[in-house]
Amino acid sequence: MSENKKLISTIVEGQDLVMERIFDAPKKLVFEMYAKSDHLEKWWGPQGWETENRLFDFKPDGVWHYCMRCMDENQGEFFGHESWGKAVFHEIVVPEKIVYTDSFSDEEGNIPGAIPDILITMDFVEDGDKTKLLIRSHFSSEESLQQVKDMGIVQGLESQFERLDGYLEEVS
């Protein structure tokens, strides 16, 4: 691990997983990385995965339907695996806040329900020339939160945010 690697700070508050991460980019640019489909496809997902947005309608009640594919042969059994997701946006305040429900889905966008939905509130906070991203993920129960933590949500986000760091450097 390099000395410059930034980690997500996390705390659990009942049914909420609260995460914080600092990015070396202005708030408007970090927000734009979530607001535009072409940007999301460049960095969304952990290292070794590619994302294809099937649908991206960034507005309240809009839907984001996407597929992440593992393209890294070194990830063993995950190589070639597809993971479909579907988000429904509830609230968007440019460039301050995004609130959405995130769910696993199938290729058609149907939500199987075996893995819990997550209500996610993202706050983008200016921190000098940097951006503090605060993510509050609300689960239906503490057991659901633990299930998703056990699946590696924090490690996956750390990997994903490393990709976002690299992409922010490219577009800055």
Side-chain angles (χ1 to χ4, degrees):
M1 175 165 62
S2 75
E3 291 180 31
N4 295 336
K5 183 174 180 179
K6 299 174 203 148
L7 298 177
I8 298 172
S9 66
T10 63
I11 60 169
V12 173
E13 296 176 347
Q15 295 171 221
D16 291 357
L17 175 61
V18 182
M19 297 172 278
E20 180 180 308
R21 173 70 150 66
I22 303 288
F23 292 94
D24 293 325
K27 177 171 78 169
K28 181 179 176 190
L29 182 60
V30 176
F31 186 92
E32 189 176 293
M33 296 299 106
Y34 286 89
K36 295 193 176 177
S37 178
D38 57 330
H39 286 315
L40 274 169
E41 287 185 328
K42 301 282 193 224
W43 66 269
W44 186 265
Q47 298 284 351
W49 292 66
E50 291 181 358
T51 295
E52 171 197 344
N53 291 333
R54 177 77 48 96
L55 175 65
F56 187 78
D57 191 14
F58 189 68
K59 65 181 185 186
D61 297 322
V63 172
W64 173 30
H65 184 218
Y66 61 94
C67 179
M68 296 185 302
R69 289 180 188 90
C70 183
M71 307 304 282
D72 181 0
E73 293 181 10
N74 294 323
Q75 292 192 23
E77 67 184 50
F78 290 107
F79 176 66
H81 179 76
E82 290 188 349
S83 181
W84 286 88
K86 183 177 182 181
V88 177
F89 298 106
H90 303 295
E91 180 183 0
I92 298 169
V93 180
V94 179
E96 307 288 332
K97 181 183 212 176
I98 302 171
V99 180
Y100 65 100
T101 301
D102 190 31
S103 309
F104 283 92
S105 76
D106 64 17
E107 189 172 350
E108 288 76 40
N110 301 307
I111 299 170
I115 299 174
D117 295 343
I118 309 168
L119 178 63
I120 298 172
T121 301
M122 301 173 61
D123 289 300
F124 299 78
V125 180
E126 194 169 307
D127 187 10
D129 58 349
K130 299 179 185 204
T131 302
K132 181 188 307 182
L133 179 59
L134 297 166
I135 304 169
R136 178 174 291 273
S137 300
H138 178 76
F139 295 83
S140 59
S141 67
E142 291 178 21
E143 293 77 21
S144 294
L145 185 155
Q146 190 60 50
Q147 178 186 4
V148 174
K149 279 185 67 180
D150 291 345
M151 291 171 61
I153 188 172
V154 175
Q155 297 84 354
L157 278 173
E158 285 176 346
S159 177
Q160 178 171 299
F161 287 157
E162 287 175 23
R163 292 184 65 196
L164 177 53
D165 281 332
Y167 186 61
L168 284 165
E169 286 180 19
E170 284 179 36
V171 298
S172 296

